[in-house]
Amino acid sequence: MVVRLFMRQFQHNLIRQLKRYSKRAALKGERLESQWETVIGLEIHAQISAKSKLFSGSGTTFASPINSMVSFFDASLPGTLPVLNRRCVEAGILTALALQCRLNLVSMFDRKHYFYADLPAGYQITQQRCPLAKDGHVEYLAPDEVHRKLVLKRARLTQLQLEQDSGKSLHDVEMSHSLIDLNRAGIGLMEIITEPEFCSAVEAASFVRELQLILQVIGVCDGKMEEGSLRVDASVSVRRPSEPLGIRSEIKNLNSIRHLMRSIEFETLRQISILESGGQVLNETRAYDVETGETVSMRDKERLHDYRFMAEPNLPPLRLYTNDTVPNGVPSDQIINVDELRAMLPELPNAKRERLKKQYGLSVEHSNVFVNEPTLLECFEKIVANQNLQNVKIASNICINEVLAAVNKKNIAFSASNLSAESVGELVELVQDEVISLLTLRKILEVLLQDSSKLPKQVIEERGWHQVSNETALENICCQVIAANPKVVDDYRDGKTKVFNYLIGEVQKKLSGQSNVKAVVRIMKQKLDT
Amino acid sequence: MFAANIKQVAALMQNGQLSAKDLCELCIKRMKRIKELNVFITEMPELALRSACAADRRIKNGSGDILEGIPVAFKDNFSTAGIRTSCASRMLKGYVPPYNATVVEKLISRGSVLMGKTNMDEFAMGCGSVDGAFGPVRNPWKYRFEATRRDRPGAAQSSPSAARIADRGRQFHSASPSQCLDVEADDSAEWFIAGGSSGGSAVSVASGAVLAALGSDTGGSTRNPASYCGVVGLKPTYGLLSRHGLIPLVNSMDVPGILTRSVDDAVVILNALAGHDPKDSTTVVEPFKPCALPDVASIKGLKIGIPQEYHAPGLSSDMKDSWQHVADIVENAGATVKRVSLPHTALSIVCYHVLCACEVASNMARYDGLEYGHRAKDESSTESLYAASRHEAFNNVVRGRILAGNYFLLKQNYDRYYVQAQRVRRLISQDFWNTFRSGIDILLTPTVLGDAPSYRWFSKADNRTRTQEQDVFTQPANMAGIPAISLPVALSSNGLPLGLQLLGQPFKEQQLLTAAKAIEQLVNFRALDFDKLLYCD
């Protein structure tokens, strides 16, 4: 139906142009970027996890057969009316509370008009004039550019509004057809708008990660960017320090954190190159091309839209109540009480990080890892609670540096690894009691990840991986190594202490890594120094 | 038969003197005889007979529902499952909704027999029922039927049972042959408009094809044709009846309207339809208390306001006289009649036009020919497909309002038009509130400026000009959401019916309808005697 061949041609030209830009930018490199500041604002669309859509009873299951989740209302049949889904409102309120927003006790819905094939009514119901909530903020950790340490930052939020998602269009250029799937049309979205205050792609990405985590923790959005449940638009502009904001372009529909970062980085360079060569940045919407890693201009028409906003006449104002204002005699299913929802909020990531730091003395980095890995944290807290550990640090180190590293290497999530708290706990215990070395632990983990039915002790028994701590046995091996490496020993005694580790390594080799390293070091030192 | 009210007909069916099937057949016969009036867009005689037979079975099995077997019609903007719902537009000529509007569902589930879908102005945009894709509706009053001009099957008489009721029913205004000949003999095209936009529904009731019909009322679309056709037209309080399934004109003003031959019948239908609908969030949740009117209604003690602003330019002397006359009658009957002022009335119609255009522009955006409706052949791009489909399928009136509405909603115009109109709307509502707060119970006004205009005269000006004239007394009630009813009270010097309007307080339908019934009994308007008109000997 729709042929947009000209678009392709247009895009090709652009990509070629941009390649030139970025090459030039790369050549000038550091020097260029250091003279410019990037300013980034984000608009996040989070699909609300709800059984039915924002204004209709149809289902929301991802990847359902095409056009199978479409009610009469979703297809905009004449005479159908929107009925607000209570669950979506509650999700919006929980989110607003978690993001420290100011809730509007009365909010309104508006119609935003534009013609598009996947928008059946010709308008989207959204909240433009009086949104559900305003003025929030999120504290998040972002790596410091220079030291790579995590630093606490704060992002300010402009507003949070409820709105409908659109359907999906698939343009078949060869057949000159557009295929429309309305399954997504009308699913509840929360649109979260930030102030344009992020200074780098890393900052923006860290914020989105934190937001994703918050939404997941409070259970209002599954946060699956790859399925489109969380989509980000980034407004990017550059300026010289202390100058007013530059002209921005908007990169639409970024569906992974990596794409978000790459596209912002590319866009920054592109804009700097344009400005450096005396050009002007266009205020336009752009798309990120995953294959080339570049942003490309979308249809120019879009930025000229006048959306002709109008109050949605079929929905009364959305009223929220607090414990103090709940009217008497009205059934509770017709009332939304903010205070009741507030009481339902679980521990939020930031509070959790603080607690982990305080309760277990964890580093910022470790507590951050745990907050991002809730099942691993659960495992860690179980271990710590069950065992009388002298040192919580061993447990957190093993969880993060060993267990998480091992599952990451296998490209699976900890929750999918089938590693139980019991077996990880046993590993911690074994290391703490110096029954095994870290090298052995890694070997055991390998085995457990293959076959989770076994426990570490079983594996050790079966494979004879006990750590050799027997003093005389270790002394013998040390003597053998010394005898076999007279030159190295001489070097050591001449003051080249670096070679010491080589000798220890030789001992380890002889014992297939099962020696108690501490003991070996002590004995070896003793032998060499006397 | 057609003199009886719903309660009487229901009683006849309950005690076996009349079957729903016989009644349905009578109505089908009547529908055929009035074909020339262009009342129905879709007639469903077979379906109606089947439902009537089913009603007979249920009555036999003990169903005592007053609506069992009662023939009704719906304006063609109420969605009816499996039955075309066209809004009198090319756009929806082939559209068959998969669901029933709530009000349709309510009547059908109570056993009413759906006779057909009635003609209207395209998408209810108009006040004459002349601007629809199916041609104009004709007013039965003073209409010269082919039958009266050619053969006169004087033998054809209504059934015995019908004659019996006619005897003890109320009196008829008989359209005498001399009146028929009043129309200029040399111009057979001279006939009167039915009013609109629910003209088809009004005529279906006036001509006896059904006992009750639903119209819609956004700016007067039920009351206007009620006045021109000599029937009762009730616009309930906004939020009392569900709009789910009613194809919208202006969502914030639309209400399903009730057209009947008497106030008692309007009460029966209102009681069947009113109440919260979970599918329409603008309906009130408080339970509806059914209206119950006494056999002899009294207006004694009521405070009736006569708004001075309704002495508008263009008000016919006939209408003015009837208004004065009825005011005198009610005063004599014990009501207090008081002059009142609704100072912002004059602004109302302009404000209505702005708001109407805005919502129209928005509501019409869905008609793109993709999911349903007319689809043009031009598929060179999505935009040109939309443009061609919409251009081909909407008439000038609809397109004009869409254009105006989009203009008003543009960012640079929004405050000057849309926001300003909303402010004025609030002032108009406040006028009513202030009046009611001052102790007035009900307002009495003309429904329209005069009697039904001739089609020839009416079609001399465009739709916009005509709606501006025609809706002047009716749309303020929609702006304020208050209930209103038009009652036939007299005949004009031209022999055409004149309607007066009563405006009540929100959700006080009981009070409004009691007053309406009292006036109905006082003025004793004689309805159109159709049998005599058709076979005027």
Side-chain angles (χ1 to χ4, degrees):
Chain A
M1 181 166 65
V2 188
V3 200
R4 293 219 183 82
L5 274 175
F6 74 95
M7 276 245 334
R8 274 197 164 176
Q9 193 55 47
F10 182 62
Q11 284 185 352
H12 277 303
N13 290 341
L14 229 126
I15 289 170
R16 228 175 293 141
Q17 251 178 329
L18 291 177
K19 277 185 178 153
R20 277 203 298 276
Y21 286 141
S22 48
K23 215 177 253 172
R24 217 181 304 152
L27 283 176
K28 297 190 183 176
E30 282 277 317
R31 196 183 63 79
L32 260 185
E33 278 178 87
S34 59
Q35 293 170 12
W36 293 90
E37 280 177 8
T38 317
V39 180
I40 304 150
L42 302 177
E43 263 183 48
I44 294 102
H45 289 100
Q47 266 185 6
I48 298 169
S49 311
K51 286 201 187 78
S52 57
K53 295 184 177 179
L54 183 54
F55 298 120
S56 79
S58 33
T60 56
T61 318
F62 181 73
S64 302
I66 287 178
N67 287 321
S68 65
M69 299 273 170
V70 187
S71 70
F72 299 153
F73 174 80
D74 304 326
S76 80
L77 291 199
T80 51
L81 298 169
V83 178
L84 184 56
N85 180 344
R86 184 190 174 97
R87 156 73 191 157
C88 291
V89 177
E90 289 175 344
I93 295 170
L94 283 171
T95 310
L97 292 172
L99 304 182
Q100 318 288 328
C101 294
R102 184 169 53 75
L103 277 164
N104 280 324
L105 291 180
V106 179
S107 63
M108 319 266 201
F109 290 93
D110 301 290
R111 292 180 177 181
K112 175 182 180 177
H113 298 88
Y114 59 94
F115 283 112
Y116 208 72
D118 55 26
L119 186 74
Y123 56 82
Q124 174 198 34
I125 303 179
T126 177
Q127 295 192 298
Q128 189 231 0
R129 294 164 307 156
C130 188
L132 183 65
K134 293 192 107 159
D135 305 331
H137 64 261
V138 175
E139 290 191 327
Y140 65 100
L141 292 167
D144 175 283
E145 296 280 321
V146 190
H147 302 99
R148 296 271 141 201
K149 280 217 111 195
L150 289 178
V151 185
L152 192 65
K153 304 212 163 166
R154 172 187 275 229
R156 292 193 300 158
L157 307 177
T158 317
Q159 71 178 51
L160 184 153
Q161 67 200 39
L162 298 175
E163 62 183 35
Q164 296 172 297
D165 208 341
S166 63
K168 284 181 186 167
S169 296
L170 195 83
H171 301 296
D172 181 341
V173 176
E174 259 137 61
M175 297 288 289
S176 89
H177 271 126
S178 283
L179 302 168
I180 314 291
D181 179 7
L182 294 181
N183 280 352
R184 203 181 67 177
I187 288 183
L189 290 181
M190 293 182 283
E191 179 174 310
I192 299 162
I193 304 170
T194 76
E195 293 289 322
E197 290 176 342
F198 300 102
C199 313
S200 69
V202 176
E203 250 184 53
S206 307
F207 162 78
V208 171
R209 177 61 198 133
E210 181 73 9
L211 180 65
Q212 188 181 32
L213 198 59
I214 293 173
L215 299 177
Q216 285 166 336
V217 165
I218 59 179
V220 295
C221 170
D222 63 23
K224 290 179 183 163
M225 294 187 81
E226 66 285 1
E227 289 183 5
S229 345
L230 192 71
R231 312 192 287 273
V232 181
D233 299 343
S235 293
V236 181
S237 66
V238 297
R239 64 171 170 190
R240 293 188 194 273
S242 79
E243 278 185 1
L245 286 177
I247 295 167
R248 66 198 169 90
S249 60
E250 195 179 359
I251 315 165
K252 287 271 184 195
N253 276 331
L254 296 159
N255 58 4
S256 86
I257 288 186
R258 179 191 298 199
H259 295 168
L260 171 70
M261 285 182 58
R262 295 260 162 94
S263 65
I264 292 175
E265 279 160 4
F266 175 84
E267 188 59 19
T268 306
L269 276 181
R270 187 188 72 92
Q271 291 188 9
I272 292 174
S273 318
I274 292 176
L275 295 173
E276 284 279 336
S277 54
Q280 267 211 323
V281 175
L282 286 181
N283 177 6
E284 62 180 352
T285 50
R286 302 178 68 83
Y288 180 66
D289 185 324
V290 182
E291 280 173 26
T292 61
E294 297 173 349
T295 66
V296 290
S297 180
M298 289 167 77
R299 278 188 309 155
D300 235 7
K301 273 183 211 159
E302 300 214 344
R303 84 198 142 99
L304 298 170
H305 258 148
D306 187 321
Y307 290 115
R308 290 160 285 130
F309 283 99
M310 188 190 90
E312 168 54 66
N314 294 320
L315 289 167
L318 168 57
R319 283 174 204 285
L320 310 180
Y321 298 88
T322 58
N323 284 341
D324 300 333
T325 60
V326 168
N328 284 328
V330 182
S332 64
D333 64 337
Q334 284 168 28
I335 294 286
I336 294 183
N337 184 339
V338 175
D339 289 326
E340 276 172 17
L341 289 166
R342 198 191 309 273
M344 283 164 54
L345 272 182
E347 185 180 36
L348 295 173
N350 220 18
K352 192 171 273 181
R353 271 190 293 260
E354 283 305 309
R355 177 172 66 80
L356 293 179
K357 278 196 318 201
K358 265 201 201 120
Q359 193 173 341
Y360 305 115
L362 297 183
S363 67
V364 180
E365 283 75 12
H366 272 192
S367 57
N368 193 44
V369 172
F370 276 133
V371 165
N372 279 283
E373 297 285 344
T375 38
L376 184 66
L377 174 60
E378 205 180 304
C379 166
F380 166 76
E381 295 206 275
K382 255 189 212 159
I383 294 168
V384 178
N386 286 346
Q387 299 176 9
N388 216 350
L389 290 176
Q390 298 100 328
N391 197 345
V392 179
K393 230 172 209 155
I394 293 182
S396 73
N397 277 338
I398 286 176
C399 283
I400 289 172
N401 297 343
E402 305 301 332
V403 176
L404 189 60
V407 295
N408 280 350
K409 220 162 131 191
K410 286 221 172 326
N411 245 332
I412 51 171
F414 174 73
S415 50
S417 71
N418 289 326
L419 285 174
S420 64
E422 194 188 359
S423 56
V424 178
E426 215 171 275
L427 285 173
V428 172
E429 210 177 313
L430 289 165
V431 172
Q432 186 185 256
D433 298 346
E434 301 189 352
V435 179
I436 55 167
S437 68
L438 285 178
L439 281 174
T440 313
L441 176 138
R442 281 169 205 155
K443 289 201 293 189
I444 298 171
L445 267 177
E446 279 291 312
V447 178
L448 292 179
L449 285 172
Q450 302 289 338
D451 177 5
S452 58
S453 67
K454 289 188 175 121
L455 283 172
K457 279 180 184 159
Q458 242 179 307
V459 177
I460 294 169
E461 284 302 325
E462 280 172 20
R463 317 221 171 183
W465 284 348
H466 290 283
Q467 177 158 279
V468 182
S469 297
N470 181 304
E471 287 281 322
T472 37
L474 289 178
E475 262 186 55
N476 281 338
I477 306 279
C478 284
C479 289
Q480 282 172 30
V481 169
I482 288 170
N485 294 286
K487 209 175 162 296
V488 183
V489 173
D490 284 348
D491 284 350
Y492 176 80
R493 286 183 171 144
D494 288 349
K496 291 186 186 167
T497 45
K498 272 184 189 167
V499 298
F500 182 73
N501 284 345
Y502 172 79
L503 296 172
I504 301 295
E506 288 299 293
V507 177
Q508 287 280 56
K509 245 188 226 168
K510 283 196 183 278
L511 288 166
S512 340
Q514 292 163 43
S515 55
N516 180 337
V517 184
K518 265 193 210 160
V520 174
V521 169
R522 181 171 40 80
I523 294 163
M524 186 64 89
K525 270 223 165 102
Q526 216 174 9
K527 295 252 174 253
L528 289 174
D529 294 348
T530 49
Chain B
M1 164 58 39
F2 301 107
N5 65 28
I6 294 178
K7 208 168 146 192
Q8 292 164 331
V9 173
L12 283 177
M13 287 193 279
Q14 287 296 332
N15 63 30
Q17 285 174 276
L18 175 71
S19 74
K21 183 165 173 267
D22 288 345
L23 178 61
C24 184
E25 276 168 351
L26 274 175
C27 290
I28 292 169
K29 208 181 270 175
R30 180 58 58 88
M31 276 166 79
K32 281 187 184 139
R33 289 198 185 142
I34 60 165
K35 202 101 194 169
E36 294 157 59
L37 300 178
N38 203 15
V39 175
F40 290 93
I41 289 175
T42 307
E43 297 178 352
M44 288 99 67
E46 295 85 10
L47 182 72
L49 274 174
R50 275 204 302 278
S51 333
C53 292
D56 279 331
R57 280 196 296 278
R58 284 192 301 268
I59 291 171
K60 219 176 229 170
N61 291 335
S63 165
D65 198 312
I66 188 169
L67 288 171
E68 206 66 87
I70 299 296
V72 295
F74 285 91
K75 188 176 179 178
D76 209 22
N77 58 354
F78 286 95
S79 303
T80 40
I83 299 164
R84 174 176 67 170
T85 301
S86 74
C87 279
S89 174
R90 269 198 79 183
M91 183 55 88
L92 294 180
K93 248 179 174 167
Y95 172 62
V96 178
Y99 74 103
N100 276 332
T102 299
V103 288
V104 172
E105 190 62 43
K106 280 189 171 179
L107 285 191
I108 290 180
S109 67
R110 295 272 303 269
S112 298
V113 174
L114 176 51
M115 303 299 298
K117 303 293 294 289
T118 60
N119 202 352
M120 57 190 279
D121 286 301
E122 181 162 336
F123 282 103
M125 296 183 208
C127 52
S129 299
V130 299
D131 285 318
F134 297 88
V137 180
R138 298 167 181 222
N139 195 319
W141 288 78
K142 299 182 76 180
Y143 186 77
R144 294 201 305 169
F145 282 91
E146 297 267 333
T148 66
R149 282 178 253 151
R150 292 189 203 133
D151 51 0
R152 293 182 180 183
Q157 272 297 328
S158 41
S159 74
S161 60
R164 220 171 28 242
I165 308 152
D167 288 340
R168 63 166 178 237
R170 49 209 200 103
Q171 285 184 293
F172 284 91
H173 162 76
S174 87
S176 69
S178 68
Q179 271 172 326
C180 287
L181 296 171
D182 264 354
V183 183
E184 292 163 74
D186 57 340
D187 187 5
S188 58
E190 184 73 337
W191 46 269
F192 299 94
I193 63 155
S197 62
S198 314
S201 290
V203 176
S204 72
V205 172
S207 61
V210 293
L211 283 171
L214 279 216
S216 59
D217 195 314
T218 309
S221 280
T222 292
R223 288 160 287 156
N224 172 301
S227 177
Y228 288 153
C229 297
V231 295
V232 171
L234 171 66
K235 170 224 174 289
T237 309
Y238 184 85
L240 188 61
L241 267 61
S242 169
R243 292 180 295 115
H244 172 251
L246 167 62
I247 299 181
L249 173 59
V250 183
N251 307 277
S252 63
M253 301 187 206
D254 291 343
V255 286
I258 296 167
L259 290 143
T260 52
R261 291 166 65 111
S262 67
V263 175
D264 277 334
D265 286 357
V267 169
V268 171
I269 304 296
L270 177 72
N271 286 345
L273 298 182
H276 178 65
D277 179 8
K279 289 175 183 151
D280 177 358
S281 311
T282 62
T283 51
V284 289
V285 283
E286 287 76 25
F288 169 73
K289 193 167 161 269
C291 291
L293 305 189
D295 286 341
V296 178
S298 163
I299 203 160
K300 208 167 180 176
L302 271 191
K303 292 194 185 64
I304 310 272
I306 307 286
Q308 59 188 46
E309 288 78 7
Y310 282 63
H311 284 280
L315 187 65
S316 77
S317 56
D318 282 346
M319 186 60 97
K320 213 171 179 175
D321 292 347
S322 317
W323 189 15
Q324 184 60 52
H325 177 61
V326 172
D328 292 345
I329 290 180
V330 295
E331 195 160 29
N332 290 339
T336 314
V337 176
K338 209 182 143 196
R339 278 187 160 271
V340 295
S341 172
L342 302 165
H344 298 96
T345 303
L347 303 174
S348 196
I349 187 77
V350 186
C351 169
Y352 170 78
H353 271 258
V354 173
L355 293 176
C356 176
C358 292
E359 288 202 31
V360 163
S362 177
N363 287 332
M364 294 292 137
R366 70 188 55 214
Y367 300 105
D368 52 24
L370 295 193
E371 288 84 9
Y372 48 83
H374 177 76
R375 188 191 285 207
K377 296 273 178 294
D378 183 355
E379 299 202 340
S380 55
S381 75
T382 306
E383 289 75 17
S384 44
L385 172 66
Y386 281 19
S389 302
R390 290 164 68 81
H391 183 84
E392 289 169 15
F394 287 144
N395 70 7
N396 282 333
V397 178
V398 178
R399 293 210 305 273
R401 289 201 195 179
I402 292 173
L403 187 66
N406 279 324
Y407 175 80
F408 297 144
L409 288 174
L410 284 179
K411 215 173 180 180
Q412 79 243 32
N413 297 334
Y414 182 79
D415 281 336
R416 264 193 302 162
Y417 293 99
Y418 183 70
V419 174
Q420 188 65 14
Q422 296 278 27
R423 283 196 199 111
V424 176
R425 182 177 184 177
R426 205 168 306 132
L427 291 176
I428 288 154
S429 303
Q430 274 167 11
D431 278 357
F432 286 114
W433 287 114
N434 292 340
T435 311
F436 293 135
R437 221 174 286 133
S438 77
I440 297 292
D441 297 310
I442 279 167
L443 296 164
L444 176 68
T445 78
T447 307
V448 280
L449 293 169
D451 59 6
S454 72
Y455 176 71
R456 204 163 36 151
W457 176 84
F458 190 82
S459 50
K460 272 183 191 150
D462 65 11
N463 178 290
R464 210 181 80 81
T465 313
R466 289 292 179 237
T467 43
Q468 197 119 18
E469 300 162 353
Q470 297 284 317
D471 292 346
V472 68
F473 297 147
T474 44
Q475 43 72 35
N478 300 84
M479 301 275 270
I482 59 175
I485 188 167
S486 176
L487 286 176
V489 293
L491 287 184
S492 68
S493 48
N494 198 20
L496 292 167
L498 294 167
L500 286 186
Q501 175 179 235
L502 294 176
L503 301 160
Q505 302 179 36
F507 304 105
K508 290 200 176 170
E509 266 76 3
Q510 168 81 34
Q511 188 183 50
L512 177 74
L513 290 162
T514 308
K517 184 170 177 180
I519 294 174
E520 184 183 52
Q521 288 173 335
L522 288 167
V523 299
N524 195 20
F525 176 80
R526 301 200 295 170
L528 184 64
D529 184 345
F530 225 79
D531 293 319
K532 284 203 180 133
L533 177 63
L534 271 171
Y535 313 113
C536 44
D537 323 284

